Structures are given as structure tokens and as C-alpha cells.
Amino acid sequence: MLYTEIPTQRPVTPLLDAIDHPQQLRLLERSQLEQVADELRQYILYAAGQSGGHFGANLGVIELTVALHYCFNTPHDRLIWDVGHQAYPHKALTGRREQLTSIRAKDGLAAFPAREESEFDTFGVGHSSTAISAGLGMSLARRYQKDPCEVVSIIGDGAMTAGMAFEAMNDAVAHQADLMVVLNDNDMSISCSTGGFAKHLAAIWERGEFINVTEEGEAYVQPHPEWLYNSRLHSAATDAADNLFKAIGFDYFGPYDGHDVKQLVHVFNALKKRKGPRLIHIYTKKGKGFAPAEADQIKYHAISKINSVSTVSAAPKYSDVFGQWLCDEAAQDERLLAITPAMCEGSGMVQFAKQFPERFFDVAIAEQHAVTLAAGMACEGLKPVVAIYSTFLQRGYDQLIHDVALQNLDVTFGIDRAGLVGEDGPTHAGAYDYAFMRTVPNMVIMAPKDENECRQMLHTAYLYNGPAAVRYPRGNGIGVEIEQQLSALEIGKAEIVASFNEHQDEQISILAFGSRVTAAIEAAQALAIAHDVGVRVVNMRFVKPLDEQIIEQLAATTSLFVTVEEHAVMAGAGSAVNEYLALAQIVKPILNLGLADVFMPQASHAQMLQQAGLDAKGIEKSVELSWLKLVQSVS
């Protein structure tokens, strides 16, 4: 059925309610599976409306999920969901149905498959393109243990663009592994799929035939059935007679209608009788069954809670600040080219892509390639800007070191979603970028206190002749006026932004980085009032090069240094301060505040900051305890 509204009341789902384990699903007749799929779609609509979160991808795999759990003996057989955006139906069928409304909330279900949550979640995910490698590892391990099982890796056409997926497929053929790969082709990642691989899939579709399988598992070719779920947006290379998957060495079957649950059951049951690497190509529609999501698949990639009371901030999002700066800078300098690894919308680049299409490069989910592509552009005298999330830059770390920094190439990195990201949880937290970047020679690293400083830092990074990064948080700024004039900052120069009780001999110096400056000022004021002590706050601005001069100047009158950052304490910005103090032989008490050496589970951003002690109250409390201990030790 096609639905037009998200239900606010729990739908009536009698068959689904009787399934607390996939074994109960397997007791049903095949004729009942369409009803199960329809009930599951209704329930996912309801649950996602209550919890918010990923939406379109989950609606697109309802029939696939039902068929997989019906045909395979899970959890003994292994299902590995790539990325995990589409795992809500899987969770609902594996004993977590009534918990699904808590997904992404504090103490609720994880946003993605998580091994600690369920034995059915065979591999923890969140980043794309890992499922085939993980599935191959499981298959080879079970072969070695002489305890074989069926292993099925489910991967989208967007995730298949990453090199890691092809590395795994190549290796699977080398080992002739018993591995089944389901390619869920909806012509989308978050936005539309791009590149030669997308064209190849379009060519397979347009060839007019498909490879089917008999009940006994024998392959045969027949004319393609008359159905079409996606408008193929690519100019397909229809003269390419070869099939990439077959050329690699996989047995290829499809393309099949991914919303025909009976056909999927036939295919999976038949292909269990074959051995070796097999790929089943299915076509689905992102948002299937919900009319608004089918019509606007990008908008409905994820949704907010339908009953939430949200405060609309007048301040722009940091991603929008980046996007506007990008357009403004490009208008002034024809050398600017912009690169994104499949995150045009999330990185705020839609307007740039429209305004400067010949200077916009969406390289699909290929972070390593994105970084080295920028390096190649820089070699030719252009000035590439890479827009990338902190958590995804981790995937291009070797390229950052070897291809950009080692050659001291002029590449600017706009690093979004730095720090804690809330409901998406630890897989998406940008908690390690200070640490992994500041150890790399030639790097300049900046962190803005607000949206105006973000704009000016991006300009500063762009003008710098070498690799430079600006890391900024998810969400809205704090509401300061944004200066349209672009003004470069002095590299490596911090500023004192607040000073309370300056007349006091005893002074606490809080060195705050990026998003924690405002909270540090609030904490400093409360401390000054409560303890009649001098407290000053420094907006450090630069993690590298560190403003060593201001630290040395402050040291003469500082009784306690405090560093604050929304980043792991270990090897972070505070560690950089510690290293300088040790090198300069400045012996002062120092308190480093940041993220502890743990992966923080999902919660709202505010809840996570509170839990980490990085909101204003938490900073105040930690500094107060250190200050009182220090006072007691000298009294």
C-alpha cells in the first residue's frame, strides 16, 4: 500500500506482533509475507515518527529484510548491513520491535547495528562500504573452523562506489569464498549516485535481459520483466556488453524487483544451493510506500520526531556558513575548486554546485580518493577545498599525510560535524581530528568559537599556502553577526575574550578551543563570583601552530591552567598545551577537560556535553574542584 501520512498512533499489526524472533517469521506461509511487509512498513512509519532518524532507506528495504530473515537461519547465518541506515526493519524483526521508538535516544537502541545490542547485529557499522570485507572475514573464519554458515552482505549502490568494497570483492574471488552479496540499487546514497559505476548499473538495466535462477540454483537468462522503480538519471553506456561483477568473478543474478517479497524468497532459497561468491542485484525505491518520501528522497533521507517541540534558531548552521563562504570565495578566485565525498547537502554545498557546476566535484563515497584528488589539483596550481565530516576524514588519513602534507600542497579542509554529534552516536563523533592532524607536519589547524569566526578562519585557511583545516561543529551557530568582509586572521594568534576579577593576585587561565569558548566564559564568570578569584578565558583559535607566546605571558600570573575542548583529552589540544609547558619548563598546575577515553553512546548533543562535563556547569564544577584542592594544598 502507499501511505501519505506518518501515523501518530501505533498501527494494528497482528502478524508483526507475533514475531519476537525470526524463527517465528519462518513458521508463516509465503502467502502471508506480503502482509508482514505491509505491517512492518506501517510500524516503521510510526516508530520513525516517534523517534526521528533515518527514514527513506528503511522503507526501501522492508521486503528485502522480511525475505532475508525468512530464508536464512539468523542469527546462525550472518547478515551484515552496510552503513546501517536501513537496519530499523531488521531490529524490529529481531526482538527489538517495541524498543524501536527509543532508537537514537539516550539509553535507547543504537542508531546503527551494534554487536553489544543483539546477537543478530553481527557487525557494528555506521560508516559505509565495510559489509563485504566483514562478511568475507566471517565466511573465511567459519571455513577455517569447519563450521560453515550462510553469510550475506547487504550493500547499497552508493556504498559500492568506495574502493574498499571492490577490494573485498576481488579478495572474495581469490578465495572462492562462500559469500552472498545483495546489491540494493536505489540510485541513491544520500543524494543521487554519481560516476561510472552508476552508469554501469544503468547499462545493466537497459540491456533488456536479466539472469534468473531455478529452484535448483541453476542460472538462466530471460527477457527483462516490464517494471521500473527508478528513473535512471545516467546516460548509460549501453554498448558495454560486459557485466562488471561477472568480470571480477562473481556469479551475478538479477536485477530483481526488490519489493517483490515472494520473488526474493525464491531467489535466496535457490542461491543457498550454490557455492562461491554470488551477487544478487535488486532494484528498490528509497522511501517506498510513503508518497512524500518517494517524491523527495533526499529530503526524507532522515526525519525529525513528528511530535517534537523544536526551537528554530535564528543563527545559521555552520554548514550553511561554510557553503556561503565557499560561494563568496569562489566568486573572488577562479582557482577555487570544491570536492565532497557524497555529502553535498550535508556540507552546505547545494548553492555552490548550482552556481559553479564546473568547479564542483562529488566523488561519491570515496574519501581517500577525495583527498588525493585535491592533491592532484593543487599540483596544477589550483586551490581545492575538501568539504568532509570529521568522522569521514579518518578514512583518508594516509592520503592526508602522504599525498597532501608530505608534499606541502595547498589544500583547504572544511571539517564539519567536529566534536560530539548527538543521536548518531560514536560512529559519527568527530572526537579525534585534533589528535590525528596535529601530529602531521605542515598542517595548520583552526577551531572557531562562533559562526563569524568560522567564516574568517575558512578565508584564512584558503589564503594559507599549504594544508590547512578548519573544524567546526554540527548544528547552528550562537547567533553572532557575520561580517561579509573576508578578513584573514594572524596565523597562530589567540585572544583573551573574557577576564573577571583582574585585580586578584590568584588567577585561573582557561584556554578554550572552538565550540567550548562560550561555555568556558559562562563557567569563568560563575567561578569568579563564587570564589572571588581572577578568571580569564582565552579563545585559542589555533590548535596548530599553538600560540605559545600567550601561554608564556599568562604563566607569570597564572595559578592554574585549564584547557577545554570538545575532543578526546588524549593527544588533543590540551595535550599540545601540556607539551609546550613541559618543553618551556613552565611548572604550573594544569587541568585538561575534554572527552574521556571511551566511546560515548548516543544521546542528544546537550545530554552528551553534560555527561562529558563539557557544558558550562560541568566546566565550572571541574575547575572548582581543582581550584579548591590547589588552595588546600598551599594553605
Side-chain angles (χ1 to χ4, degrees):
M1 290 183 64
L2 184 65
Y3 299 95
T4 58
E5 294 183 356
I6 297 175
T8 56
Q9 300 294 320
R10 192 194 188 289
V12 177
T13 54
L15 285 183
L16 181 63
D17 292 351
I19 301 170
D20 294 315
H21 189 285
Q23 187 59 46
Q24 294 163 314
L25 172 68
R26 296 174 204 126
L27 296 176
L28 299 177
E29 299 294 330
R30 287 194 191 187
S31 60
Q32 295 176 287
L33 297 184
E34 289 181 351
Q35 182 181 339
V36 172
D38 184 61
E39 290 182 9
L40 183 54
R41 180 165 280 110
Q42 292 181 63
Y43 186 76
I44 294 298
L45 285 169
Y46 163 74
Q50 296 297 305
S51 65
H54 292 106
F55 190 72
N58 286 293
L59 295 177
V61 299
I62 298 288
E63 290 80 9
L64 172 61
T65 308
V66 171
L68 286 168
H69 280 293
Y70 188 75
C71 295
F72 294 97
N73 184 28
T74 55
H76 175 76
D77 290 338
R78 308 304 199 205
L79 301 183
I80 306 101
W81 298 92
D82 202 274
V83 184
H85 288 170
Q86 74 287 60
Y88 295 14
H90 161 78
K91 294 195 180 202
L93 291 175
T94 54
R96 291 167 281 179
R97 180 185 61 251
E98 300 306 320
Q99 297 170 270
L100 205 60
T101 54
S102 73
I103 202 165
R104 304 175 79 246
K106 189 176 188 296
D107 301 323
L109 294 182
F112 306 97
R115 283 171 53 83
E116 65 273 14
E117 187 177 286
S118 170
E119 63 179 337
F120 291 93
D121 293 359
T122 58
F123 196 72
V125 295
H127 290 188
S128 84
S129 315
T130 63
I132 304 178
S133 295
L136 177 58
M138 293 175 189
S139 177
L140 295 179
R142 295 296 287 266
R143 176 193 287 179
Y144 173 74
Q145 295 168 327
K146 296 181 173 54
D147 182 23
C149 69
E150 296 289 343
V151 179
V152 185
S153 296
I154 306 100
I155 186 170
D157 56 307
M160 190 69 92
T161 59
M164 184 175 179
F166 286 95
E167 292 171 21
M169 293 182 71
N170 177 68
D171 199 30
V173 172
H175 295 288
Q176 275 302 295
D178 292 328
L179 175 67
M180 196 178 297
V181 175
V182 177
L183 172 57
N184 175 30
D185 180 4
N186 58 24
D187 202 26
M188 299 287 289
S189 51
I190 291 178
S191 52
C192 295
S193 296
T194 64
F197 181 68
K199 289 184 178 182
H200 182 70
L201 294 182
I204 291 175
W205 168 259
E206 292 179 10
R207 202 164 295 141
E209 63 183 28
F210 82 114
I211 302 174
N212 207 346
V213 61
T214 67
E215 293 283 356
E216 292 74 32
E218 297 298 321
Y220 66 97
V221 179
Q222 69 181 72
H224 205 292
E226 294 297 323
W227 58 268
L228 179 63
Y229 278 89
N230 294 29
S231 60
R232 307 304 295 177
L233 302 178
H234 313 284
S235 175
T238 52
D239 59 340
D242 292 332
N243 180 299
L244 176 62
F245 309 107
K246 293 169 67 176
I248 290 174
F250 268 70
D251 287 340
Y252 172 90
F253 300 90
Y256 294 102
D257 180 353
H259 299 297
D260 185 339
V261 66
K262 291 181 180 178
Q263 184 183 59
L264 292 176
V265 167
H266 158 73
V267 171
F268 292 142
N269 280 337
L271 290 181
K272 286 194 296 186
K273 299 171 184 176
R274 296 177 71 99
K275 297 297 182 181
R278 292 144 285 167
L279 186 135
I280 301 93
H281 184 183
I282 69 170
Y283 276 96
T284 61
K285 193 175 189 75
K286 197 172 182 180
K288 174 67 177 175
F290 184 62
E294 289 189 20
D296 192 342
Q297 298 178 12
I298 295 175
K299 177 181 177 181
Y300 283 93
H301 171 73
I303 63 171
S304 301
K305 298 178 184 180
I306 60 174
N307 59 351
S308 63
V309 180
S310 58
T311 302
V312 179
S313 173
K317 293 180 179 179
Y318 278 95
S319 56
D320 293 335
V321 173
F322 169 81
Q324 186 59 56
W325 164 78
L326 195 64
C327 291
D328 294 345
E329 197 77 66
Q332 297 180 179
D333 189 345
E334 292 183 351
R335 296 174 298 166
L336 187 152
L337 303 178
I339 301 166
T340 177
M343 297 305 299
C344 176
E345 289 80 13
S347 294
M349 302 175 77
V350 172
Q351 186 57 41
F352 180 89
K354 291 178 181 177
Q355 192 172 338
F356 304 100
E358 74 285 359
R359 297 160 69 179
F360 172 71
F361 299 87
D362 184 344
V363 302
I365 301 175
E367 294 87 356
Q368 293 172 294
H369 166 58
V371 177
T372 304
L373 176 70
M377 291 173 172
C379 286
E380 298 303 316
L382 297 179
K383 291 180 69 66
V385 177
V386 179
I388 192 166
Y389 291 6
S390 173
T391 186
F392 298 144
L393 182 57
Q394 296 164 184
R395 311 185 81 182
Y397 187 46
D398 179 63
Q399 290 68 32
L400 176 71
I401 297 172
H402 186 273
D403 299 338
V404 175
L406 180 62
Q407 304 181 87
N408 201 25
L409 292 173
D410 192 2
V411 178
T412 299
F413 293 89
I415 303 177
D416 199 350
R417 269 64 165 182
L420 299 168
V421 294
E423 290 83 356
D424 279 344
T427 60
H428 283 58
Y432 314 106
D433 48 41
Y434 288 163
F436 70 66
M437 286 192 297
R438 76 177 188 87
T439 59
V440 179
N442 295 329
M443 287 293 302
V444 168
I445 309 163
M446 292 172 259
K449 72 179 189 301
D450 57 43
E451 56 269 44
N452 179 59
E453 194 165 66
C454 182
R455 176 177 170 85
Q456 308 311 330
M457 282 184 174
L458 287 163
H459 180 62
T460 305
Y462 184 76
L463 293 182
Y464 178 74
N465 186 24
V470 180
R471 61 100 75 175
Y472 43 91
R474 180 183 188 179
N476 301 91
I478 63 174
V480 303
E481 181 180 353
I482 298 179
E483 300 168 10
Q484 296 308 302
Q485 178 67 35
L486 291 170
S487 304
L489 304 176
E490 182 180 346
I491 298 290
K493 191 66 175 176
E495 62 170 352
I496 298 175
V497 289
S499 187
F500 305 98
N501 294 340
E502 294 181 73
H503 62 281
Q504 293 289 353
D505 293 335
E506 301 287 350
Q507 292 284 329
I508 300 172
S509 293
I510 302 179
L511 312 181
F513 293 84
S515 65
R516 295 301 86 209
V517 172
T518 300
I521 293 172
E522 185 178 335
Q525 185 173 20
L527 286 163
I529 293 171
H531 297 284
D532 198 27
V533 62
V535 190
R536 52 204 170 196
V537 179
V538 183
N539 171 25
M540 291 300 291
R541 286 180 168 167
F542 291 84
V543 176
K544 186 179 182 181
L546 197 67
D547 191 341
E548 298 173 350
Q549 184 178 13
I550 199 170
I551 297 172
E552 185 176 359
Q553 290 172 351
L554 291 173
T557 56
T558 294
S559 301
L560 172 66
F561 275 113
V562 180
T563 64
V564 188
E565 60 193 298
E566 193 173 338
H567 180 280
V569 169
M570 191 178 296
S575 290
V577 174
N578 298 349
E579 290 160 13
Y580 169 69
L581 291 173
L583 183 66
Q585 297 184 349
I586 298 172
V587 181
K588 293 285 181 176
I590 185 164
L591 170 66
N592 298 132
L593 299 180
L595 301 176
D597 189 26
V598 296
F599 291 111
M600 291 187 67
Q602 76 280 354
S604 71
H605 185 233
Q607 288 172 326
M608 295 180 86
L609 286 174
Q610 183 181 38
Q611 182 179 340
L614 292 177
D615 60 353
K617 288 289 186 184
I619 295 169
E620 177 191 348
K621 182 178 179 181
S622 294
V623 177
E624 181 179 54
L625 287 173
S626 289
W627 176 249
L628 292 176
K629 286 182 180 178
L630 181 62
V631 170
Q632 290 171 2
S633 68
V634 297
S635 61

